[in-house]
């Protein structure tokens, strides 16, 4: 893909390293790779987008926690952005900042390695010394590296000739293996658009050189995205990475969250479900594209998940519901501060549409049918200034009638207790909702979030029974994909 490094070559310093004879291709028997049990979530693709660092503290990590991995970009020609900061108009990149920050311990790295205008230099051996340097950097990183060699290989914007590309891919892999690098896996990534099997196979380096098969996913048809790459992955027994993922053209800060969730995120989640047998990693690009010079005016938009309250909530619950692997999770994220000209920007965007139907139902506790001792309590920290309290004896509870079909529930609560309370569906206790104390009966809230199975039209009760613990409830959210 061109997004990060199209402008790279005209700026890069050429490393003057040469070899008189090319390295021979090595015989190598690949070890079969098993897809991770759960999808691993990666986030990129620049320091500001990722965040979680002293100098970069308004990115994804600052609102959601550390993902399983992050994405960065470099080229074999210059290895820029690894040991020092670089910016070619697409945000700052400096991989060592991640390695030096304790918060990123255990967070893996997916590297997009550009080979634009470098294939001849790779294949002649001119860049062999950089392969050695790259190997040394990988080894000292002490984490798993997923190396996307010549990513989006068939994209016309890259200009890769198939035979030269395959030869370069193999030379890089052989060179890294020769240096004994054991913490790298090699990724073969297409653009994911309108793929033709025969065209793709012209670029295939061989089973012994590819650990992961990958593609990009932007505004693709979810039934067609990566279709042939997925088929090849199944045939060859390789796991799949969606290496670049973002709703191109959306403006998450200004667009209607429900509409965008339904139109882009839900089809993408269905794409994952349809291909859950092979997809092991997804890498979301959480960037304010329109403010980066390289992408300004190209229609990439603003895909920062934290900038939309509805979408950020859905994303957090999706991570939990789907069981995606991350490194850490923020239970109490900060509030995203909107810019002073937000209303003007929003009016200019002119995309808000009233009365949209979402797939999430947030119900105030005070609107439920109270049981036993339960009654309203006032609290300025509760949504609407009140909630429901005195749920402490057998039979006390809240009943929500005719609930929409849901596979996830979120309950905002306050309590000094740690324990559980029952969730009954159509009169029978079906789940224990477990919770930890918030330190107070009012003012300080936390969320119970749990996967459930509630049929459409069901009556649902939060009910106190013997062995349960008391809590106050602000609201209940019934959610589905």
């Amino acid at each position: 893909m061109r997004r990060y490094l199209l402008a790279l070559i005209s700026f890069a310093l050429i490393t003057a390293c040469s070899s008189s004879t090319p390295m021979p291709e090595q015989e190598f028997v690949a070890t079969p790779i098993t897809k991770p049990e759960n999808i691993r979530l990666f986030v990129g693709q620049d320091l500001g987008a990722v965040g979680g660092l002293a100098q970069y503290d308004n990115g994804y990590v600052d609102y959601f926690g550390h993902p399983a991995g992050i994405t960065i970009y470099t080229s074999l020609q210059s290895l820029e952005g690894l040991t020092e900061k670089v910016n070619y108009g697409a945000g700052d990149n400096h991989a060592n900042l991640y390695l030096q920050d304790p918060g990123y311990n255990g967070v893996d790295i997916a590297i997009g390695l550009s080979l634009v205008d470098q294939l001849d230099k790779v294949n002649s051996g001119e860049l062999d010394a950089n392969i050695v340097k790259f190997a040394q950097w990988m080894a000292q990183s002490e984490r798993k590296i997923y190396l996307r060699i010549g990513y989006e290989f068939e994209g016309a914007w890259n200009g890769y000739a198939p035979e030269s590309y395959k030869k370069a891919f193999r030379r890089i892999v052989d060179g890294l293996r020769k240096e004994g690098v054991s913490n790298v896996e090699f990724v073969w990534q297409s653009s994911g658009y309108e793929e033709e099997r025969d065209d793709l196979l012209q670029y295939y380096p061989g089973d012994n050189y590819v650990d992961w098969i990958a593609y990009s996913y932007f505004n693709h048809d979810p039934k067609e995205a990566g279709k042939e790459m997925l088929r090849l992955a199944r045939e060859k027994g390789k796991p799949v990475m969606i290496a670049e993922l973002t709703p191109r053209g959306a403006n998450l800060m200004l667009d209607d969250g429900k509409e965008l969730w339904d139109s882009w995120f839900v089809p993408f989640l269905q794409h994952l479900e349809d291909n859950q047998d092979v997809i092991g990693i997804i890498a979301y690009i959480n960037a304010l594209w329109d403010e980066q010079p390289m992408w300004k005016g190209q229609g990439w938009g603003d895909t920062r998940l934290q900038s939309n309250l509805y979408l950020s909530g859905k994303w957090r619950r999706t991570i939990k519901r789907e069981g995606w692997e991350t490194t850490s999770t923020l239970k109490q994220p900060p509030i995203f501060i909107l810019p002073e000209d937000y209303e003007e920007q929003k009016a200019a965007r002119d995309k808000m549409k009233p009365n949209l139907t979402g797939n999430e139902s947030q119900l105030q506790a005070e609107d439920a049918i109270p049981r036993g001792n339960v009654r309203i309590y006032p609290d300025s920290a509760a949504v609407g200034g009140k909630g429901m309290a005195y749920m402490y004896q057998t039979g006390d509870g809240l009943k929500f009638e005719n609930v929409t079909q849901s596979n996830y529930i979120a309950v905002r609560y306050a309590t000094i207790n740690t324990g559980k309370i029952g969730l009954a569906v159509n009169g029978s206790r079906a789940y224990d909702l477990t919770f930890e104390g918030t330190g107070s009966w009012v003012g300080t809230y936390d969320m119970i979030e749990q996967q459930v199975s509630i049929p459409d039209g069901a009556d649902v009760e939060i009910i106190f029974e013997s062995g349960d613990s008391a809590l106050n409830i602000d609201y209940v959210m019934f959610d589905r994909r």
Side-chain angles (χ1 to χ4, degrees):
M1 171 194 159
R2 61 183 176 182
R3 269 197 317 282
Y4 181 71
L5 291 166
L6 270 182
L8 172 68
I9 306 306
S10 61
F11 294 93
L13 294 173
I14 300 176
T15 304
C17 304
S18 63
S19 174
S20 57
T21 57
M23 290 183 295
E25 295 177 6
Q26 299 177 343
E27 291 293 328
F28 185 84
V29 178
T31 302
I33 298 175
T34 302
K35 181 183 78 68
E37 181 178 351
N38 296 318
I39 286 176
R40 306 188 71 220
L41 175 62
F42 284 38
V43 174
Q45 57 187 0
D46 63 83
L47 291 167
V50 177
L53 299 166
Q55 312 96 309
Y56 306 89
D57 59 359
N58 195 35
Y60 180 94
V61 170
D62 304 290
Y63 293 87
F64 299 94
H66 292 82
I70 54 93
T71 64
I72 64 170
Y73 291 80
T74 190
S75 73
L76 191 59
Q77 181 164 268
S78 299
L79 299 179
E80 68 290 328
L82 297 181
T83 60
E84 59 185 19
K85 184 171 69 175
V86 67
N87 188 326
Y88 292 103
D92 292 344
N93 267 246
H94 187 181
N96 275 3
L97 289 186
Y98 298 118
L99 302 185
Q100 296 161 2
D101 189 280
Y104 281 89
N105 289 344
V107 177
D108 292 335
I109 301 177
I111 301 178
L113 183 66
S114 174
L115 299 179
V116 174
D117 294 339
Q118 299 165 66
L119 295 183
D120 290 344
K121 294 175 183 178
V122 175
N123 291 328
S124 70
E126 184 177 340
L127 298 182
D128 284 355
N130 276 11
I131 294 176
V132 174
K133 291 179 183 177
F134 203 13
Q136 294 169 344
W137 183 88
M138 289 182 185
Q140 62 86 35
S141 73
E142 297 183 340
R143 65 203 64 208
K144 182 64 66 66
I145 303 294
Y146 297 85
L147 186 59
R148 299 155 44 208
I149 300 175
Y151 51 93
E152 295 190 333
F153 54 80
E154 90 289 18
W157 48 89
N158 287 321
Y160 298 146
E163 290 304 318
S164 295
Y165 171 80
K166 287 189 293 186
K167 187 176 179 181
F169 194 111
R170 293 167 182 158
R171 189 180 190 92
I172 293 167
V173 172
D174 285 336
L176 294 173
R177 286 173 174 163
K178 183 180 178 180
E179 295 302 312
V181 181
S182 60
N183 60 325
V184 60
E185 296 186 1
F186 303 105
V187 182
W188 183 62
Q189 178 193 346
S190 79
S191 69
Y193 279 108
E194 299 179 358
E195 297 176 342
E196 295 291 339
R197 178 185 177 86
D198 291 342
D199 292 341
L200 294 174
L201 286 175
Q202 289 184 66
Y203 290 89
Y204 189 58
D207 292 348
N208 290 342
Y209 289 90
V210 173
D211 294 321
W212 289 74
I213 286 177
Y215 56 94
S216 302
Y217 185 111
F218 304 121
N219 292 7
H220 293 60
D221 178 343
K223 294 292 186 183
E224 297 297 322
K227 187 175 181 179
E228 289 301 326
M229 295 294 275
L230 289 161
R231 184 154 74 105
L232 287 170
R234 293 182 175 103
E235 291 175 3
K236 296 178 177 298
K238 308 288 186 183
V240 169
M241 173 190 296
I242 300 183
E244 300 182 43
L245 167 71
T246 206
R248 177 176 181 173
N251 189 311
L252 272 59
M253 187 177 74
L254 302 176
D255 290 348
D256 183 271
K258 291 182 180 180
E259 183 180 57
L260 187 56
W261 183 264
D262 289 342
S263 64
W264 191 88
F265 287 88
V266 169
F268 169 68
L269 292 173
Q270 187 62 52
H271 178 78
L272 292 186
E273 184 172 319
D274 292 343
N275 298 286
Q276 60 185 303
D277 59 311
V278 288
I279 295 176
I281 294 174
I282 60 174
Y284 185 84
I285 302 175
N286 191 65
L288 179 49
W289 303 88
D290 285 348
E291 289 192 1
Q292 296 182 347
M294 186 178 286
W295 316 121
K296 196 174 183 69
Q298 296 186 28
W300 285 94
D302 178 357
T303 60
R304 296 172 298 167
L305 288 160
Q306 69 268 23
S307 70
N308 187 297
L309 184 61
Y310 180 89
L311 290 174
S312 63
K314 293 289 284 186
W315 186 256
R316 287 189 187 91
R317 291 189 291 277
T318 295
I319 291 173
K320 292 186 177 182
R321 177 173 52 228
E322 303 297 327
W324 294 348
E325 181 183 336
T326 61
T327 303
S328 67
T329 302
L330 287 185
K331 291 193 69 174
Q332 295 292 334
I335 297 173
F336 181 83
I337 304 300
L338 296 172
E340 292 183 359
D341 64 344
Y342 171 75
E343 292 299 334
E344 291 82 356
Q345 288 190 45
K346 189 175 180 181
R349 182 76 172 175
D350 195 26
K351 290 283 181 115
M352 295 297 289
K353 299 177 182 178
N355 302 320
L356 292 173
T357 300
N359 49 12
E360 171 184 89
S361 178
Q362 180 174 312
L363 303 178
Q364 293 300 115
E366 57 267 28
D367 292 333
I369 300 172
R371 301 292 194 193
N373 297 297
V374 176
R375 57 189 184 273
I376 291 175
Y377 69 96
D379 183 8
S380 60
V383 175
K386 53 189 175 181
M388 298 296 277
Y390 303 101
M391 193 179 307
Y392 64 96
Q393 290 185 345
T394 298
D396 293 346
L398 293 172
K399 182 177 182 180
F400 298 90
E401 295 184 319
N402 195 29
V403 169
T404 59
Q405 184 271 324
S406 309
N407 55 25
Y408 206 76
I409 190 171
V411 180
R412 189 171 191 253
Y413 72 96
T415 181
I416 61 172
N417 299 318
T418 294
K420 62 178 175 63
I421 198 161
L423 184 74
V425 179
N426 290 329
S428 297
R429 182 165 176 144
Y431 303 94
D432 289 338
L433 301 179
T434 61
F435 53 86
E436 296 179 353
T438 64
S440 174
W441 291 105
V442 296
T444 303
Y445 290 82
D446 204 344
M447 296 291 287
I448 301 168
E449 295 183 304
Q450 186 166 320
Q451 197 164 350
V452 295
S453 180
I454 298 174
D456 194 46
D459 291 342
V460 177
E461 289 184 86
I462 297 175
I463 188 76
F464 189 103
E465 296 176 329
S466 177
D468 289 340
S469 297
L471 79 172
N472 295 348
I473 295 178
D474 180 13
Y475 65 75
V476 178
M477 183 178 294
F478 297 96
D479 195 9
R480 68 180 187 277
R481 177 180 293 171

mmCIF file of all heavy atoms in Angstrom, residues 7-26:
data_model
loop_
_atom_site.group_PDB
_atom_site.id
_atom_site.type_symbol
_atom_site.label_atom_id
_atom_site.label_comp_id
_atom_site.label_asym_id
_atom_site.label_seq_id
_atom_site.Cartn_x
_atom_site.Cartn_y
_atom_site.Cartn_z
ATOM 1 N N ALA A 7 6.139 8.657 -0.542
ATOM 2 C CA ALA A 7 7.039 9.809 -0.594
ATOM 3 C C ALA A 7 8.405 9.501 -0.003
ATOM 4 O O ALA A 7 9.290 10.346 0.009
ATOM 5 C CB ALA A 7 6.419 10.989 0.155
ATOM 6 N N LEU A 8 8.602 8.300 0.476
ATOM 7 C CA LEU A 8 9.801 7.957 1.206
ATOM 8 C C LEU A 8 11.059 8.037 0.361
ATOM 9 O O LEU A 8 12.074 8.595 0.773
ATOM 10 C CB LEU A 8 9.637 6.524 1.745
ATOM 11 C CG LEU A 8 10.862 5.892 2.378
ATOM 12 C CD1 LEU A 8 11.181 6.609 3.669
ATOM 13 C CD2 LEU A 8 10.608 4.441 2.631
ATOM 14 N N ILE A 9 11.005 7.473 -0.834
ATOM 15 C CA ILE A 9 12.231 7.238 -1.564
ATOM 16 C C ILE A 9 12.949 8.523 -1.935
ATOM 17 O O ILE A 9 14.173 8.593 -1.912
ATOM 18 C CB ILE A 9 11.936 6.402 -2.831
ATOM 19 C CG1 ILE A 9 11.186 5.118 -2.425
ATOM 20 C CG2 ILE A 9 13.215 6.058 -3.558
ATOM 21 C CD1 ILE A 9 11.889 4.321 -1.361
ATOM 22 N N SER A 10 12.194 9.558 -2.279
ATOM 23 C CA SER A 10 12.826 10.801 -2.687
ATOM 24 C C SER A 10 13.556 11.471 -1.542
ATOM 25 O O SER A 10 14.404 12.336 -1.767
ATOM 26 C CB SER A 10 11.769 11.756 -3.251
ATOM 27 O OG SER A 10 10.824 12.055 -2.268
ATOM 28 N N PHE A 11 13.273 11.069 -0.291
ATOM 29 C CA PHE A 11 13.923 11.693 0.855
ATOM 30 C C PHE A 11 15.023 10.824 1.449
ATOM 31 O O PHE A 11 15.871 11.317 2.180
ATOM 32 C CB PHE A 11 12.877 11.962 1.963
ATOM 33 C CG PHE A 11 11.849 12.983 1.594
ATOM 34 C CD1 PHE A 11 10.646 12.591 1.039
ATOM 35 C CD2 PHE A 11 12.090 14.337 1.802
ATOM 36 C CE1 PHE A 11 9.688 13.530 0.712
ATOM 37 C CE2 PHE A 11 11.141 15.268 1.482
ATOM 38 C CZ PHE A 11 9.935 14.865 0.935
ATOM 39 N N ALA A 12 14.963 9.525 1.205
ATOM 40 C CA ALA A 12 15.787 8.594 1.968
ATOM 41 C C ALA A 12 17.258 8.668 1.581
ATOM 42 O O ALA A 12 17.595 8.918 0.427
ATOM 43 C CB ALA A 12 15.283 7.169 1.751
ATOM 44 N N LEU A 13 18.122 8.462 2.548
ATOM 45 C CA LEU A 13 19.543 8.322 2.283
ATOM 46 C C LEU A 13 19.815 6.889 1.875
ATOM 47 O O LEU A 13 19.369 5.960 2.522
ATOM 48 C CB LEU A 13 20.349 8.645 3.554
ATOM 49 C CG LEU A 13 20.284 10.094 4.030
ATOM 50 C CD1 LEU A 13 20.980 10.204 5.381
ATOM 51 C CD2 LEU A 13 20.949 11.004 3.019
ATOM 52 N N ILE A 14 20.574 6.698 0.803
ATOM 53 C CA ILE A 14 20.871 5.355 0.325
ATOM 54 C C ILE A 14 22.081 4.825 1.085
ATOM 55 O O ILE A 14 23.143 5.443 1.094
ATOM 56 C CB ILE A 14 21.143 5.361 -1.191
ATOM 57 C CG1 ILE A 14 19.901 5.878 -1.913
ATOM 58 C CG2 ILE A 14 21.561 3.992 -1.680
ATOM 59 C CD1 ILE A 14 20.083 6.015 -3.388
ATOM 60 N N THR A 15 21.917 3.689 1.728
ATOM 61 C CA THR A 15 23.025 3.082 2.453
ATOM 62 C C THR A 15 23.955 2.413 1.462
ATOM 63 O O THR A 15 23.552 1.525 0.723
ATOM 64 C CB THR A 15 22.496 2.033 3.448
ATOM 65 O OG1 THR A 15 21.552 2.668 4.302
ATOM 66 C CG2 THR A 15 23.629 1.454 4.266
ATOM 67 N N ALA A 16 25.186 2.815 1.460
ATOM 68 C CA ALA A 16 26.145 2.307 0.470
ATOM 69 C C ALA A 16 26.777 1.023 0.973
ATOM 70 O O ALA A 16 27.902 1.017 1.480
ATOM 71 C CB ALA A 16 27.227 3.353 0.189
ATOM 72 N N CYS A 17 26.016 -0.056 0.858
ATOM 73 C CA CYS A 17 26.511 -1.362 1.273
ATOM 74 C C CYS A 17 26.337 -2.314 0.115
ATOM 75 O O CYS A 17 25.263 -2.405 -0.459
ATOM 76 C CB CYS A 17 25.721 -1.900 2.476
ATOM 77 S SG CYS A 17 25.729 -0.784 3.878
ATOM 78 N N SER A 18 27.362 -3.033 -0.257
ATOM 79 C CA SER A 18 27.262 -3.907 -1.416
ATOM 80 C C SER A 18 27.898 -5.248 -1.129
ATOM 81 O O SER A 18 28.686 -5.414 -0.204
ATOM 82 C CB SER A 18 27.947 -3.251 -2.625
ATOM 83 O OG SER A 18 29.327 -3.093 -2.371
ATOM 84 N N SER A 19 27.545 -6.215 -1.972
ATOM 85 C CA SER A 19 28.111 -7.555 -1.894
ATOM 86 C C SER A 19 28.430 -8.008 -3.299
ATOM 87 O O SER A 19 27.647 -7.791 -4.221
ATOM 88 C CB SER A 19 27.107 -8.497 -1.234
ATOM 89 O OG SER A 19 27.568 -9.820 -1.267
ATOM 90 N N SER A 20 29.545 -8.596 -3.489
ATOM 91 C CA SER A 20 29.966 -8.948 -4.843
ATOM 92 C C SER A 20 29.194 -10.109 -5.413
ATOM 93 O O SER A 20 29.007 -10.207 -6.624
ATOM 94 C CB SER A 20 31.472 -9.284 -4.844
ATOM 95 O OG SER A 20 31.734 -10.339 -3.919
ATOM 96 N N THR A 21 28.708 -11.023 -4.554
ATOM 97 C CA THR A 21 27.944 -12.166 -5.057
ATOM 98 C C THR A 21 26.669 -12.305 -4.266
ATOM 99 O O THR A 21 26.669 -12.167 -3.042
ATOM 100 C CB THR A 21 28.756 -13.477 -4.917
ATOM 101 O OG1 THR A 21 29.114 -13.649 -3.553
ATOM 102 C CG2 THR A 21 30.012 -13.417 -5.781
ATOM 103 N N PRO A 22 25.550 -12.565 -4.942
ATOM 104 C CA PRO A 22 24.285 -12.719 -4.235
ATOM 105 C C PRO A 22 24.319 -13.941 -3.325
ATOM 106 O O PRO A 22 24.994 -14.934 -3.608
ATOM 107 C CB PRO A 22 23.260 -12.889 -5.369
ATOM 108 C CG PRO A 22 23.949 -12.417 -6.592
ATOM 109 C CD PRO A 22 25.393 -12.676 -6.397
ATOM 110 N N MET A 23 23.589 -13.861 -2.224
ATOM 111 C CA MET A 23 23.474 -15.026 -1.352
ATOM 112 C C MET A 23 22.623 -16.082 -2.033
ATOM 113 O O MET A 23 21.596 -15.768 -2.629
ATOM 114 C CB MET A 23 22.818 -14.623 -0.031
ATOM 115 C CG MET A 23 23.660 -13.757 0.871
ATOM 116 S SD MET A 23 22.826 -13.434 2.429
ATOM 117 C CE MET A 23 21.429 -12.462 1.851
ATOM 118 N N PRO A 24 23.006 -17.332 -1.948
ATOM 119 C CA PRO A 24 22.163 -18.388 -2.540
ATOM 120 C C PRO A 24 20.889 -18.539 -1.734
ATOM 121 O O PRO A 24 20.869 -18.296 -0.528
ATOM 122 C CB PRO A 24 23.049 -19.639 -2.417
ATOM 123 C CG PRO A 24 23.945 -19.355 -1.246
ATOM 124 C CD PRO A 24 24.214 -17.880 -1.304
ATOM 125 N N GLU A 25 19.817 -18.923 -2.420
ATOM 126 C CA GLU A 25 18.579 -19.209 -1.705
ATOM 127 C C GLU A 25 18.762 -20.479 -0.894
ATOM 128 O O GLU A 25 19.294 -21.476 -1.372
ATOM 129 C CB GLU A 25 17.417 -19.363 -2.693
ATOM 130 C CG GLU A 25 17.093 -18.079 -3.432
ATOM 131 C CD GLU A 25 15.989 -18.265 -4.446
ATOM 132 O OE1 GLU A 25 15.418 -19.369 -4.475
ATOM 133 O OE2 GLU A 25 15.705 -17.311 -5.182
ATOM 134 N N GLN A 26 18.343 -20.441 0.355
ATOM 135 C CA GLN A 26 18.555 -21.564 1.249
ATOM 136 C C GLN A 26 17.361 -22.498 1.239
ATOM 137 O O GLN A 26 16.227 -22.077 1.075
ATOM 138 C CB GLN A 26 18.792 -21.055 2.677
ATOM 139 C CG GLN A 26 20.018 -20.170 2.808
ATOM 140 C CD GLN A 26 20.154 -19.638 4.229
ATOM 141 O OE1 GLN A 26 19.203 -19.658 5.003
ATOM 142 N NE2 GLN A 26 21.343 -19.172 4.562
#
